[in-house]
Amino acid sequence: MNIAVIGGGAAGLTAAGSAKGANVVLFEHTEKIGKKIYITGKGRCNFTNVCDNQTFLQNVVTNAPFLRSALSKFTPYDAMELLNANGCATKTERGRRAFPLSDKASDVTKALRKYAESNGAEIRTDCRIADITKTADGFVINSLDVASHTKRTEKFDAVIMCTGGISYSVTGSDGSSYGLIEKLGHAVISGKPSLVELYVKERMSEAEGLTLKNVAVRTDGIKPIFGDMMITDNGVSGPIILTLSAYAARRDFPYNISVDFKPAMTAEELDTRILRDFGAQLNKQFKNALDLLLPKSIIPYIINRSGISSARQVNSITKSERRRLAELIKNFGLTVVGNAGLERAVVTNGGVDVKQIDPKTMQSRITAGLYFGGEILDVDALTGGYNFHIALATGYVAGTSAAEQTHD
């Protein structure tokens, strides 16, 4: 039985390795496999998160229920075992994040390649798919070898699409397969940037580069998100902003968010703290009286919105002004007007509509013999190894299912 795997990333390599007993050809249209793997986790490749399925699914933003079956068939421990067995020793760090022991993403790619080739998979790089046609008993694929300009027409019993999303197109995830997928009867939900820097209308150039620790960000319809954020030249970034961008990926711009610089305190507790600080600095000007409470570079923006003159002595600030100040620190509003775009997004929100896919096998409900794995699916998660594991798990299920189906 012959299986074609389209895409040489984490999902495609895992699919090729797990399609045991089949003749597998993996097509990768760039010059080398695993290009996106190399940049994952800043080159270290956080390949999974060692947690239970419930915790895992809580970190999936889009279509989490679709993944239940795949996660039960391929767990984080399976991911570690697969890499270890193929020459990549692993380790677990803070937040249950798993990495290669070497801290080299290239070792993950090498292990996945070994896994695919140990199953006899033929890997063709610089090989572009021109067309896929469904026939009565399988598929006909027309391909072009870029280096030799050789055109091939080949027949396959099954096709596994693992062509990725449309973020970081330089890695090969450029959406070029969407037309092929739609031709085979599938709806593709328009891709949006996820896990990405947000651009805001209110520029804070004096605070650019500042990392704010232990703050919270809020927006309508999303639970408060706690952690660290950073002020950038265009807006805001950092862990909690990336998380917010995932949950708000399909929102239209503009929308409002607010930052709570002191989430551990109520407004009343913060007012008491401000009163205490002011009491120790009665003769200071307002602009010099917030250093114990806030990072210095953010203070001018707080003062500007407070309506209190920066030159006022703190002993002249009224109770109502002080309470307004506390509310401002607890609710510093920003207007999100855009984001850094798909070229800088970690993952894509969008892809093939999962309603058209059997979650137990990753096979199309529309076109028999067609399977999907990885970021091509309309499934995305937060940072922490979840997205990479989704690629591994769905690739594994697609590969095993395709092999079992073609052997029936």
Side-chain angles (χ1 to χ4, degrees):
M1 292 296 180
N2 302 315
I3 296 176
V5 177
I6 317 296
L13 290 166
T14 308
S18 61
K20 304 296 183 185
N23 300 314
V24 178
V25 178
L26 185 150
F27 297 85
E28 167 54 47
H29 73 155
T30 68
E31 73 280 6
K32 66 180 181 180
I33 60 168
K35 290 185 76 171
K36 194 168 185 181
I37 296 174
Y38 286 100
I39 63 171
T40 301
K42 298 180 180 178
R44 296 179 62 217
C45 192
N46 174 200
F47 65 88
T48 193
N49 194 288
V50 187
C51 62
D52 59 61
N53 285 0
Q54 182 178 356
T55 301
F56 195 108
L57 291 171
Q58 287 170 352
N59 285 275
V60 177
V61 176
T62 308
N63 293 319
F66 176 79
L67 292 171
R68 283 198 180 98
S69 180
L71 289 175
S72 68
K73 293 176 180 178
F74 192 87
T75 70
Y77 297 100
D78 293 325
M80 297 174 75
E81 183 179 340
L82 187 155
L83 294 182
N84 285 319
N86 287 280
C88 178
T90 61
K91 62 181 177 180
T92 305
E93 296 185 358
R94 179 176 59 87
R96 308 177 308 271
R97 300 176 184 220
F99 294 86
L101 186 61
S102 64
D103 285 329
K104 294 179 180 179
S106 58
D107 286 347
V108 173
T109 304
K110 290 174 185 176
L112 292 176
R113 180 175 195 135
K114 182 179 178 182
Y115 179 61
E117 291 181 334
S118 69
N119 187 40
E122 176 190 350
I123 296 175
R124 301 178 190 170
T125 55
D126 259 344
C127 193
R128 298 179 182 173
I129 305 301
D131 188 52
I132 303 175
T133 302
K134 181 73 172 81
T135 65
D137 56 352
F139 299 83
V140 173
I141 293 182
N142 295 320
S143 64
L144 170 67
D145 184 286
V146 175
S148 66
H149 301 286
T150 301
K151 294 181 179 179
R152 297 186 187 183
T153 298
E154 298 167 283
K155 187 173 180 299
F156 293 91
D157 300 291
V159 174
I160 306 174
M161 299 295 294
C162 300
T163 50
I166 51 175
S167 61
Y168 279 104
S169 62
V170 68
T171 65
S173 298
D174 57 8
S176 58
S177 66
Y178 283 2
L180 298 173
I181 292 166
E182 289 172 335
K183 180 187 172 186
L184 291 167
H186 278 267
V188 178
I189 295 167
S190 177
K192 304 288 185 182
S194 182
L195 302 178
V196 67
E197 174 189 354
L198 296 178
Y199 293 165
V200 300
K201 182 173 72 175
E202 302 82 2
R203 290 289 188 269
M204 294 178 282
S205 56
E206 290 183 28
E208 183 180 332
L210 171 67
T211 296
L212 295 159
K213 301 283 188 180
N214 302 316
V215 298
V217 63
R218 293 178 171 85
T219 189
D220 290 344
I222 297 173
K223 292 179 180 179
I225 304 166
F226 299 87
D228 300 346
M229 65 175 275
M230 184 174 70
I231 308 299
T232 69
D233 56 343
N234 290 306
V236 287
S237 190
I240 63 173
I241 297 301
L242 297 186
T243 297
L244 175 65
S245 77
Y247 284 111
R250 297 183 186 180
R251 288 195 176 185
D252 294 328
F253 303 117
Y255 62 87
N256 297 319
I257 65 173
S258 70
V259 179
D260 183 347
F261 294 103
K262 296 294 177 182
M265 297 182 184
T266 65
E268 292 75 18
E269 290 169 339
L270 180 57
D271 180 47
T272 300
R273 164 69 187 274
I274 294 170
L275 180 61
R276 185 173 72 244
D277 287 356
F278 282 3
Q281 308 175 83
L282 287 174
N283 295 317
K284 278 193 174 183
Q285 291 181 317
F286 180 42
K287 64 182 178 181
N288 298 320
L290 296 176
D291 289 358
L292 298 176
L293 190 64
L294 296 165
K296 190 170 184 178
S297 59
I298 205 73
I299 290 173
Y301 302 99
I302 297 291
I303 289 175
N304 183 55
R305 291 200 195 177
S306 72
I308 304 170
S309 169
S310 63
R312 283 264 301 275
Q313 286 189 316
V314 295
N315 60 14
S316 71
I317 294 174
T318 66
K319 180 178 181 180
S320 61
E321 288 174 326
R322 195 182 66 241
R323 286 187 171 176
R324 284 204 311 273
L325 174 63
E327 291 291 346
L328 174 62
I329 293 171
K330 295 284 294 176
N331 186 26
F332 188 82
L334 296 169
T335 308
V336 178
V337 294
N339 58 45
L342 285 161
E343 287 304 317
R344 291 173 61 185
V346 176
V347 295
T348 304
N349 174 283
V352 178
D353 189 346
V354 298
K355 294 185 184 70
Q356 299 176 333
I357 301 169
D358 182 346
K360 294 180 180 179
T361 62
M362 297 297 145
Q363 184 173 199
S364 167
R365 297 185 189 275
I366 295 169
T367 304
L370 178 64
Y371 298 79
F372 297 92
E375 200 177 340
I376 190 67
L377 298 163
D378 182 26
V379 179
D380 62 280
L382 304 180
T383 57
Y386 303 103
N387 288 293
F388 200 99
H389 185 86
I390 289 169
L392 296 176
T394 55
Y396 175 84
V397 171
T400 55
S401 299
E404 289 169 1
Q405 184 70 24
T406 52
H407 282 110
D408 286 346

